[in-house]
PDB file of all heavy atoms in Angstrom:
ATOM      1  N   ASN N1504     -39.823  57.235 -16.077  1.00 97.00           N
ATOM      2  CA  ASN N1504     -39.302  55.935 -16.486  1.00 97.00           C
ATOM      3  C   ASN N1504     -37.925  56.061 -17.133  1.00 97.00           C
ATOM      4  O   ASN N1504     -37.691  56.936 -17.966  1.00 97.00           O
ATOM      5  CB  ASN N1504     -40.281  55.249 -17.439  1.00 97.00           C
ATOM      6  CG  ASN N1504     -39.792  53.881 -17.838  1.00 97.00           C
ATOM      7  OD1 ASN N1504     -39.147  53.717 -18.865  1.00 97.00           O
ATOM      8  ND2 ASN N1504     -40.033  52.896 -16.983  1.00 97.00           N
ATOM      9  N   ASN N1505     -37.055  55.136 -16.762  1.00 96.00           N
ATOM     10  CA  ASN N1505     -35.670  55.187 -17.242  1.00 96.00           C
ATOM     11  C   ASN N1505     -35.525  54.833 -18.713  1.00 96.00           C
ATOM     12  O   ASN N1505     -34.532  55.179 -19.329  1.00 96.00           O
ATOM     13  CB  ASN N1505     -34.796  54.255 -16.397  1.00 96.00           C
ATOM     14  CG  ASN N1505     -35.373  52.851 -16.316  1.00 96.00           C
ATOM     15  OD1 ASN N1505     -36.499  52.665 -15.869  1.00 96.00           O
ATOM     16  ND2 ASN N1505     -34.615  51.860 -16.763  1.00 96.00           N
ATOM     17  N   GLU N1506     -36.486  54.114 -19.283  1.00 96.00           N
ATOM     18  CA  GLU N1506     -36.353  53.744 -20.699  1.00 96.00           C
ATOM     19  C   GLU N1506     -37.024  54.742 -21.631  1.00 96.00           C
ATOM     20  O   GLU N1506     -36.531  54.998 -22.725  1.00 96.00           O
ATOM     21  CB  GLU N1506     -36.941  52.347 -20.940  1.00 96.00           C
ATOM     22  CG  GLU N1506     -36.135  51.251 -20.243  1.00 96.00           C
ATOM     23  CD  GLU N1506     -36.630  49.860 -20.589  1.00 96.00           C
ATOM     24  OE1 GLU N1506     -37.057  49.652 -21.741  1.00 96.00           O
ATOM     25  OE2 GLU N1506     -36.609  48.994 -19.697  1.00 96.00           O
ATOM     26  N   THR N1507     -38.163  55.270 -21.210  1.00 97.00           N
ATOM     27  CA  THR N1507     -38.921  56.164 -22.097  1.00 97.00           C
ATOM     28  C   THR N1507     -38.854  57.622 -21.648  1.00 97.00           C
ATOM     29  O   THR N1507     -39.171  58.515 -22.435  1.00 97.00           O
ATOM     30  CB  THR N1507     -40.414  55.778 -22.121  1.00 97.00           C
ATOM     31  OG1 THR N1507     -40.929  55.925 -20.786  1.00 97.00           O
ATOM     32  CG2 THR N1507     -40.594  54.349 -22.597  1.00 97.00           C
ATOM     33  N   GLY N1508     -38.511  57.858 -20.394  1.00 98.00           N
ATOM     34  CA  GLY N1508     -38.502  59.213 -19.857  1.00 98.00           C
ATOM     35  C   GLY N1508     -39.885  59.726 -19.488  1.00 98.00           C
ATOM     36  O   GLY N1508     -40.028  60.882 -19.062  1.00 98.00           O
ATOM     37  N   VAL N1509     -40.907  58.888 -19.642  1.00 98.00           N
ATOM     38  CA  VAL N1509     -42.274  59.346 -19.367  1.00 98.00           C
ATOM     39  C   VAL N1509     -42.451  59.629 -17.869  1.00 98.00           C
ATOM     40  O   VAL N1509     -42.112  58.811 -17.019  1.00 98.00           O
ATOM     41  CB  VAL N1509     -43.306  58.307 -19.849  1.00 98.00           C
ATOM     42  CG1 VAL N1509     -44.711  58.658 -19.355  1.00 98.00           C
ATOM     43  CG2 VAL N1509     -43.278  58.215 -21.373  1.00 98.00           C
ATOM     44  N   ILE N1643     -34.476  61.993 -22.549  1.00 97.00           N
ATOM     45  CA  ILE N1643     -34.599  60.599 -22.988  1.00 97.00           C
ATOM     46  C   ILE N1643     -35.497  60.478 -24.217  1.00 97.00           C
ATOM     47  O   ILE N1643     -36.585  61.043 -24.262  1.00 97.00           O
ATOM     48  CB  ILE N1643     -35.124  59.697 -21.848  1.00 97.00           C
ATOM     49  CG1 ILE N1643     -34.096  59.651 -20.714  1.00 97.00           C
ATOM     50  CG2 ILE N1643     -35.427  58.284 -22.365  1.00 97.00           C
ATOM     51  CD1 ILE N1643     -34.462  58.731 -19.564  1.00 97.00           C
ATOM     52  N   SER N1644     -34.999  59.702 -25.187  1.00 98.00           N
ATOM     53  CA  SER N1644     -35.770  59.453 -26.392  1.00 98.00           C
ATOM     54  C   SER N1644     -35.717  57.962 -26.684  1.00 98.00           C
ATOM     55  O   SER N1644     -34.645  57.402 -26.884  1.00 98.00           O
ATOM     56  CB  SER N1644     -35.147  60.240 -27.548  1.00 98.00           C
ATOM     57  OG  SER N1644     -35.902  60.035 -28.714  1.00 98.00           O
ATOM     58  N   ASN N1645     -36.881  57.332 -26.684  1.00 97.00           N
ATOM     59  CA  ASN N1645     -36.941  55.892 -26.955  1.00 97.00           C
ATOM     60  C   ASN N1645     -37.624  55.691 -28.300  1.00 97.00           C
ATOM     61  O   ASN N1645     -38.775  56.072 -28.483  1.00 97.00           O
ATOM     62  CB  ASN N1645     -37.720  55.193 -25.833  1.00 97.00           C
ATOM     63  CG  ASN N1645     -37.622  53.692 -25.945  1.00 97.00           C
ATOM     64  OD1 ASN N1645     -38.039  53.111 -26.942  1.00 97.00           O
ATOM     65  ND2 ASN N1645     -37.075  53.054 -24.928  1.00 97.00           N
ATOM     66  N   THR N1669     -29.911  49.650 -25.533  1.00 88.00           N
ATOM     67  CA  THR N1669     -31.075  48.871 -25.946  1.00 88.00           C
ATOM     68  C   THR N1669     -32.106  48.793 -24.829  1.00 88.00           C
ATOM     69  O   THR N1669     -33.110  48.126 -24.980  1.00 88.00           O
ATOM     70  CB  THR N1669     -30.675  47.429 -26.320  1.00 88.00           C
ATOM     71  OG1 THR N1669     -29.990  46.858 -25.204  1.00 88.00           O
ATOM     72  CG2 THR N1669     -29.786  47.390 -27.530  1.00 88.00           C
ATOM     73  N   GLY N1670     -31.854  49.445 -23.734  1.00 72.00           N
ATOM     74  CA  GLY N1670     -32.802  49.359 -22.620  1.00 72.00           C
ATOM     75  C   GLY N1670     -32.347  48.320 -21.644  1.00 72.00           C
ATOM     76  O   GLY N1670     -31.263  48.407 -21.087  1.00 72.00           O
ATOM     77  N   ALA N1671     -33.153  47.283 -21.482  1.00 58.00           N
ATOM     78  CA  ALA N1671     -32.867  46.324 -20.420  1.00 58.00           C
ATOM     79  C   ALA N1671     -31.873  45.265 -20.883  1.00 58.00           C
ATOM     80  O   ALA N1671     -31.913  44.801 -22.008  1.00 58.00           O
ATOM     81  CB  ALA N1671     -34.161  45.651 -19.993  1.00 58.00           C
ATOM     82  N   SER N1681     -38.056  44.641 -23.716  1.00 91.00           N
ATOM     83  CA  SER N1681     -38.240  45.547 -22.585  1.00 91.00           C
ATOM     84  C   SER N1681     -39.608  45.357 -21.946  1.00 91.00           C
ATOM     85  O   SER N1681     -40.635  45.438 -22.620  1.00 91.00           O
ATOM     86  CB  SER N1681     -38.105  46.976 -23.095  1.00 91.00           C
ATOM     87  OG  SER N1681     -38.831  47.854 -22.278  1.00 91.00           O
ATOM     88  N   HIS N1682     -39.621  45.137 -20.633  1.00 93.00           N
ATOM     89  CA  HIS N1682     -40.912  45.005 -19.942  1.00 93.00           C
ATOM     90  C   HIS N1682     -41.666  46.331 -19.953  1.00 93.00           C
ATOM     91  O   HIS N1682     -42.890  46.356 -19.859  1.00 93.00           O
ATOM     92  CB  HIS N1682     -40.707  44.499 -18.507  1.00 93.00           C
ATOM     93  CG  HIS N1682     -40.058  45.494 -17.581  1.00 93.00           C
ATOM     94  ND1 HIS N1682     -38.704  45.748 -17.588  1.00 93.00           N
ATOM     95  CD2 HIS N1682     -40.575  46.304 -16.618  1.00 93.00           C
ATOM     96  CE1 HIS N1682     -38.421  46.657 -16.673  1.00 93.00           C
ATOM     97  NE2 HIS N1682     -39.533  47.013 -16.074  1.00 93.00           N
ATOM     98  N   VAL N1683     -40.924  47.421 -20.092  1.00 95.00           N
ATOM     99  CA  VAL N1683     -41.565  48.740 -20.105  1.00 95.00           C
ATOM    100  C   VAL N1683     -42.344  48.926 -21.413  1.00 95.00           C
ATOM    101  O   VAL N1683     -43.521  49.295 -21.408  1.00 95.00           O
ATOM    102  CB  VAL N1683     -40.492  49.849 -19.959  1.00 95.00           C
ATOM    103  CG1 VAL N1683     -41.129  51.226 -20.110  1.00 95.00           C
ATOM    104  CG2 VAL N1683     -39.781  49.712 -18.618  1.00 95.00           C
ATOM    105  N   LEU N1684     -41.672  48.645 -22.522  1.00 95.00           N
ATOM    106  CA  LEU N1684     -42.340  48.823 -23.818  1.00 95.00           C
ATOM    107  C   LEU N1684     -43.471  47.814 -23.988  1.00 95.00           C
ATOM    108  O   LEU N1684     -44.515  48.131 -24.557  1.00 95.00           O
ATOM    109  CB  LEU N1684     -41.320  48.698 -24.956  1.00 95.00           C
ATOM    110  CG  LEU N1684     -40.202  49.756 -24.937  1.00 95.00           C
ATOM    111  CD1 LEU N1684     -39.236  49.539 -26.091  1.00 95.00           C
ATOM    112  CD2 LEU N1684     -40.780  51.168 -24.994  1.00 95.00           C
ATOM    113  N   LEU N1698     -34.400  51.546 -29.557  1.00 95.00           N
ATOM    114  CA  LEU N1698     -33.172  52.040 -28.938  1.00 95.00           C
ATOM    115  C   LEU N1698     -33.509  53.222 -28.034  1.00 95.00           C
ATOM    116  O   LEU N1698     -34.435  53.981 -28.316  1.00 95.00           O
ATOM    117  CB  LEU N1698     -32.184  52.522 -29.999  1.00 95.00           C
ATOM    118  CG  LEU N1698     -31.407  51.485 -30.813  1.00 95.00           C
ATOM    119  CD1 LEU N1698     -30.502  52.207 -31.802  1.00 95.00           C
ATOM    120  CD2 LEU N1698     -30.596  50.558 -29.919  1.00 95.00           C
ATOM    121  N   ARG N1699     -32.709  53.353 -26.980  1.00 96.00           N
ATOM    122  CA  ARG N1699     -32.833  54.537 -26.130  1.00 96.00           C
ATOM    123  C   ARG N1699     -31.634  55.440 -26.379  1.00 96.00           C
ATOM    124  O   ARG N1699     -30.491  55.005 -26.271  1.00 96.00           O
ATOM    125  CB  ARG N1699     -32.872  54.147 -24.654  1.00 96.00           C
ATOM    126  CG  ARG N1699     -32.973  55.369 -23.743  1.00 96.00           C
ATOM    127  CD  ARG N1699     -32.875  55.008 -22.280  1.00 96.00           C
ATOM    128  NE  ARG N1699     -31.524  54.604 -21.913  1.00 96.00           N
ATOM    129  CZ  ARG N1699     -31.163  54.219 -20.685  1.00 96.00           C
ATOM    130  NH1 ARG N1699     -32.073  54.170 -19.728  1.00 96.00           N
ATOM    131  NH2 ARG N1699     -29.917  53.872 -20.423  1.00 96.00           N
TER     132      ARG N1699
END
Side-chain angles (χ1 to χ4, degrees):
Chain N
N1504 182 266
N1505 52 302
E1506 293 186 35
T1507 62
V1509 170
I1643 295 183
S1644 181
N1645 189 299
T1669 56
S1681 153
H1682 70 282
V1683 174
L1684 298 179
L1698 284 180
R1699 179 186 71 181

